[in-house]
Amino acid sequence: MTIIQQPSVLRAYINNHKKDGKTIGFVPTMGALHEGHLSLVSEAKQQSEVTVCSIFVNPTQFNDPGDYEKYPVTLNDDIRVLENAGNNILFLPSASTVYPDGTSSLEHYDIGYLETVLEGQYRPGHFQGVCQVMSRLLGAVNPDLLFMGRKDYQQCMVIKRLIEILEMPTEMIACPTLREQDGLAMSSRNRRFSPDQCQKAATIYQALLKTQSGLKPGNLGNLKKEAATYLKSNGFRVDYFEITSAHDFRIVEEWDGREALVALVAAFLGEVRLIDNMQLND
Ligand code: AMP
C-alpha cells in the first residue's frame, strides 16, 4: 500500500493510473477503522481497479468540540488493516494541507432542505463541514466511484447533492450497514462505550426492528413516539426518531402503504451520540 500525504502528489499518482485507463474507487473515512469501513474497501476493490482510502478527522464537521477531541485515533492499526485488506493507496493529509488558508472563512454549499432536518437540524454546520472536506478530498482523488455507508443515510443524500453542485462525473455507491452480532451498527465511536453501555447500545437496533414490524398504513405518530419512549426507558437521550420517505427524505406523518420509508434515529448513550437507520419496506 502506498501512503501519500500531499494532495498534489496524490493527484499526479492517480492521473498516471487514469492514463492507463484504470477506474479509481474512493473510500473516505475518519479512521479508527472497523469492519464497516473495511466492507466499503472490499466493495471498492470489487468495483474498481485502484482503491484509495483516506483517513482525516475533519475538524470542520464537528459541531461539538468535545466530540472532536475525543474522536478515537488508531492510525497504526488502521494502516495494518488496510494493508491486509489489499487497499492500494492511503491518503493521509494533514489539516494544513486540506485547509491551507485555515478554517475560519470557508465556502458555503447550498444543500437546501437537507440541512434543515434531522442531522442538519441537530448538528448545525455539520453538513457544511462534510461538504467542505469532501469537496477537497474529491478534488484530490477525482474518483470514478465513491463508496459511502448507508449508516449515514442523510450524509449519502448530501454527498449526492454535493457531486451535482461540483458537477463531478463521480458515481456514489451507498453500501449496507455492518452490525455487531447484537445488531449495534459498527461505529468508531463505539470504542468509547463501557462494556455495560455497549450492551445497552443495541437497543437502538431493537427500536428500529420494532418500528419495522409495527408499520401499517395511516398515521405514524404513535409508532415514532413508542420507539422514542422505548429508547428513553433504556437510558438514552433521544434527539429524534423519525420516519421519512426513502427517496426525497420528506418526513412522513401519514403513510399510504406504498411509499418506501426509512426510520432514522439519533440518541445519546452517556456522552456518545449514536445514529442509525433502517429501511422499513421495499
Ligand atoms: P466515518 O469514518 O465514520 O466518517 O465513516 C466513513 C465511511 O464509513 C462513511 O461512508 C460511513 O457511512 C461508513 N460507515 C461507518 N460505519 C459503517 C458501518 N457500520 N457499516 C458500513 N459503513 C459504515
Side-chain angles (χ1 to χ4, degrees):
M1 184 170 72
T2 306
I3 301 181
I4 298 179
Q5 289 178 303
Q6 292 296 331
S8 55
V9 176
L10 180 69
R11 259 186 229 111
Y13 199 83
I14 285 179
N15 276 341
N16 278 338
H17 282 301
K18 288 205 157 187
K19 273 187 207 136
D20 294 340
K22 302 241 168 89
T23 51
I24 312 293
F26 180 35
V27 180
T29 81
M30 297 205 298
L33 300 182
H34 50 67
E35 291 295 322
H37 294 117
L38 296 179
S39 72
L40 303 190
V41 173
S42 155
E43 198 56 42
K45 274 182 70 70
Q46 280 175 39
Q47 296 199 38
S48 44
E49 286 153 302
V50 177
T51 58
V52 184
C53 177
S54 65
I55 297 180
F56 178 62
V57 185
N58 173 38
T60 72
Q61 72 186 68
F62 286 83
N63 53 316
D64 171 3
D67 189 28
Y68 177 57
E69 276 148 32
K70 290 186 194 126
Y71 202 84
V73 175
T74 60
L75 186 57
N76 289 338
D77 286 349
D78 292 352
I79 292 174
R80 187 176 44 77
V81 294
L82 283 174
E83 219 142 24
N84 290 342
N87 180 57
N88 301 124
I89 302 171
L90 170 58
F91 181 38
L92 210 52
S94 64
S96 61
T97 53
V98 176
Y99 299 112
D101 301 322
T103 56
S104 53
S105 54
L106 293 171
E107 73 284 5
H108 182 269
Y109 292 89
D110 180 11
I111 53 173
Y113 168 73
L114 286 171
E115 206 172 9
T116 66
V117 289
L118 308 189
E119 287 303 279
Q121 181 186 346
Y122 281 89
R123 300 187 68 188
H126 168 64
F127 285 134
Q128 286 303 318
V130 168
C131 289
Q132 285 151 356
V133 72
M134 282 302 294
S135 65
R136 286 158 175 79
L137 294 175
L138 286 171
V141 180
N142 193 10
D144 300 287
L145 300 173
L146 170 66
F147 296 85
M148 306 287 298
R150 227 177 277 150
K151 168 168 177 288
D152 297 282
Y153 194 91
Q154 195 170 354
Q155 173 172 270
C156 285
M157 297 202 136
V158 167
I159 297 300
K160 273 196 181 155
R161 172 84 192 106
L162 177 70
I163 289 171
E164 281 171 14
I165 293 172
L166 298 174
E167 299 182 355
M168 291 191 74
T170 304
E171 182 189 347
M172 195 201 80
I173 316 257
C175 302
T177 301
L178 254 74
R179 299 179 180 281
E180 305 289 352
Q181 271 189 348
D182 61 4
L184 173 64
M186 291 180 183
S187 165
S188 306
R189 288 184 175 89
N190 294 352
R191 292 170 194 252
R192 291 174 55 196
F193 284 136
S194 67
D196 268 6
Q197 285 177 318
C198 222
Q199 273 191 338
K200 262 270 148 77
T203 312
I204 287 212
Y205 182 62
Q206 298 303 328
L208 289 166
L209 284 178
K210 273 176 192 286
T211 306
Q212 189 180 49
S213 61
L215 182 69
K216 52 181 189 309
N219 192 282
L220 301 177
N222 275 342
L223 198 59
K224 300 178 195 181
K225 225 180 273 166
E226 276 165 24
T229 305
Y230 176 64
L231 287 171
K232 283 176 199 158
S233 68
N234 277 283
F236 286 82
R237 183 156 61 79
V238 180
D239 271 355
Y240 60 80
F241 192 104
E242 263 305 346
I243 298 178
T244 72
S245 153
H247 299 302
D248 61 15
F249 214 58
R250 183 177 32 82
I251 288 176
V252 177
E253 304 293 354
E254 294 285 331
W255 184 48
D256 61 7
R258 291 189 303 274
E259 183 164 23
L261 298 179
V262 55
L264 301 110
V265 53
F268 282 89
L269 188 57
E271 281 187 351
V272 181
R273 186 174 184 275
L274 292 172
I275 61 169
D276 201 351
N277 66 79
M278 187 178 282
Q279 178 114 14
L280 297 182
N281 55 336
D282 288 330

